[in-house]
Structures are given as structure tokens and as C-alpha cells.
Amino acid sequence: MSSEKKRREKPVRTGSIAFRIGLSSGLNLLLIFIVIDVVLFCIFILPGLTDPSGAAELNIDSFDTLRRLLSEWKIDILLRVEGLLVLLWVIAETLKVRSKLSPLQEFADAALRLSDMDGELEQRYQKLESAIDNLSPAEDDQKLATGDAELAGLETAVNKLMSRMRDSYRQQARFVSDASHELRTPIAVIRGYADLLDRWGKTDEKILEESIAAIKDESESMQHLVEQLLFLARGDSGRTTLSITDFDMTEMMREVWEESAMIDKDHSYLFEGEEPIPARGDVSLIKQAARILIENASKYTPAGGEIILRSLTVDGHPAFSVQDSGIGISESDIPHIFERFYRADDSRSKQTGGSGLGLAIAKWIIERHGGRFEIISRKDIGTRITVIIP
């Protein structure tokens, strides 16, 4: 190794630099004290050593006089105090400069460590790269582990990323599986009635009418399901934009109440609205969320049951609620009702129908507005869902 490289790799020590600077400052202070002492000597000591007649010669016993004057003026104490002050000044300046140079010392030490760790870092990165290559995204229990304590933070970050990727993969796989399952049923029904038409529908008008009605119903269900899937897909990809405007929450809920009472004759709809409640958001999407909640309430409320729609304020924020008198939701199911394709009760779901996507769409709409849901439900008594939009 060349001498130039050795000098370049020699560690920087700011302590000696700080001491030299402090010593230099102390010498400057000492020089000031010497000048002051000379001035004081000329003013107070020297006149006592000269001839009283005013001549410039010194008295014969000037040495004894000098000792007496120095003793009277406590010059020895003054010199000790000055020496102590100079020493304290050197120490204080050294510490002060060293404190200011400490970031430079840390930077130099870090640079030196990095230069010494070139080979070690390369080995670590190779080890990390090999560990990452051996990871299998499909294995849930597999995690990145190199055994290097200094890479622990990076390992944690990679493992969290892998966990999110696996959750996303499972969610997408479940979504595709559930969507395929939901589409399989109407396709099978349509195919069954098509075969029925091919065999006997050409001559039997009853079978013809029944098959046409069933095919129309199933195709409408498929269209509705596909539209819901497309809505969620556009929302997940960020292609659904909100048209934000100011509107009256009470007026919006009154409109939804009127159309619900007109369409659904099997239930009793009541509306309780406060004074005009100013709100801001995409009124068409918020109205769609309200319709989804009302449709869901009507499915689980027996015929003749009561459904109450309200507009209100919660903590100063505009809100609306949908309350039914239906079968209610168990506490264990409440956290999951907004999940896609979630069914709280398969037997009841078969009776009420639906794809299990409506509440997921409502959740997406309200969350895009920064809102939240509050749910109160009692089995066989009813459910009230309140939507708060800040």
C-alpha cells in the first residue's frame, strides 16, 4: 500500500485540532494579560523605583523597594489568577471547538468504516440477493431471513411487502373464484332452459313462456352482476372519478324515500328529515350507496315491515341512516358485511338473492368521500346503518 493511500486512510482526529485551536486562543489571552501587566507595572510600580527628585535613575535600594511594591500590590496572586484563567480558557475553547467539530469526526469515522466495509457490504448484498431469490411468493409461512442483525430492518420491510402482496393475491384469487361461482349459476340456468326449449319448447307454449321468462331474469341478474364487478374494477384501478358538488342531504334522502316507496309496495317506508343539511360530495354516487342500503334492508325485512330513512347530523357532519325491522345481523358477521361476496347466512342468502357486492360498492363510495359507517343491529329486531360524510 502506497504512503499516499496510508495518509488518505489515516483516521481524522478532531481532538488534536481542537486542542491546538484552544491553545492558540489561550496564548492570545496570555499576551493580553502580559500587556495589561506591563501597563500596570509602568503606572503603579515603576514610579516607586525612580529617584524622588524626578531623575530617571533608580534608587540604590530599588531591589528591596521592588519586592515591597510587588508584595503590596499582590502581584504574585494576580499572576496565579491570570495563569489559571489562561488554563481554563484553553480547556473551554478546546471543548467548544471539539463539540463543533464532532459532526465532522462522526462523518470521518463513518467514511472510514464504509471504506473498510466494501468487501463486507458486497458479501452482505450477495447474501441478501440470494435469500430474496429463494423466496416463494406462494408460500405463506416463508419469510426473508439472512441472520444479519444489521439487515433486520430491511428484512422486516421486505417481509411486510411480501405479506401485503400475498394478501392482495389471495383477495384477487378469491374475487375471481367468487365471481366465477356467481356467474356459473345463471349461465347453467340459461343453458338448461335453452336445452328445454330445443327439446319441447317449439311445440309447448307453456314451456316456451316459462323458458323465456327465466332466461330474461337470469340474463338481467348476470348483467347486474357484471355491472357491479366492472364498477369495483374501475374503482380499484382508479378510473372512477368523483363529481364533487354541494347538495342538501335532506333533499337527497327525501328523493330516495319517494322512489323507494313507489317501487316497493311490500314494505312501509317512513322518512324523518331535519332542516336542510348542507353536504358536499358526488351526489349521484352517495344516492347509489343509499339505494344499496335500502335494497339490502328490504331483502331482510319481512313483507309489511317498516323501513325508516333519516337525514341528520352526527358531530356536526352530514349523515343519513337506513333502519329496518328485519332479521338483524349477528355481532360476528358485522365486521365482514362489507366484504365482497360475503354471505352471513347461506340459506337466507339463497332466499333473498343478491350477489354480495352491493355493500362492498357502498363501502367503496363512502370511503372515497372520507366517510364511515356506524352499525347497530339486534337479531330478529332490526338493523340501523348510519353513514357519516365529513
Side-chain angles (χ1 to χ4, degrees), residues 174-175 178-179 181-182 225 228-229 232 296 299-300 328-350 352-361 363 375 379:
R174 178 186 172 188
F175 183 79
D178 291 340
H181 176 75
E182 293 293 333
L225 174 62
Q228 290 180 323
L229 290 171
L232 291 173
N296 196 70
K299 287 179 181 180
Y300 293 98
I329 308 171
S330 64
E331 291 186 7
S332 60
D333 289 326
I334 289 179
H336 305 288
I337 63 173
F338 293 105
E339 295 178 4
R340 299 176 184 182
F341 295 110
Y342 182 79
R343 301 289 180 84
D345 189 325
D346 289 337
S347 62
R348 289 175 176 175
S349 297
K350 293 176 181 178
T352 57
S355 62
L357 290 176
L359 291 180
I361 292 175
K363 178 177 181 286
I375 304 174
K379 294 288 288 184

Side-chain angles (χ1 to χ4, degrees), residues 55 69 220 234 250 322:
L69 292 174
E220 289 177 0
R234 286 193 298 266
T250 300
V322 177

Side-chain angles (χ1 to χ4, degrees), residues 63-77:
F63 182 73
D64 294 333
T65 305
L66 177 61
R67 291 175 59 186
R68 178 177 56 80
L69 292 174
L70 291 175
S71 176
E72 289 178 357
W73 289 97
K74 308 294 185 183
I75 297 300
D76 58 337
I77 298 177

Side-chain angles (χ1 to χ4, degrees), residues 270-323:
L270 302 178
F271 175 68
E272 298 177 2
E274 300 178 358
E275 295 297 322
I277 300 175
R280 184 169 178 80
D282 191 321
V283 63
S284 61
L285 287 180
I286 295 176
K287 185 181 290 187
Q288 180 180 353
R291 288 169 177 158
I292 290 173
L293 296 181
I294 294 170
E295 180 182 1
N296 196 70
S298 65
K299 287 179 181 180
Y300 293 98
T301 300
E306 188 176 76
I307 298 175
I308 304 174
L309 310 183
R310 295 184 179 91
S311 63
L312 65 158
T313 57
V314 177
D315 298 330
H317 300 300
F320 69 87
S321 68
V322 177
Q323 178 177 334

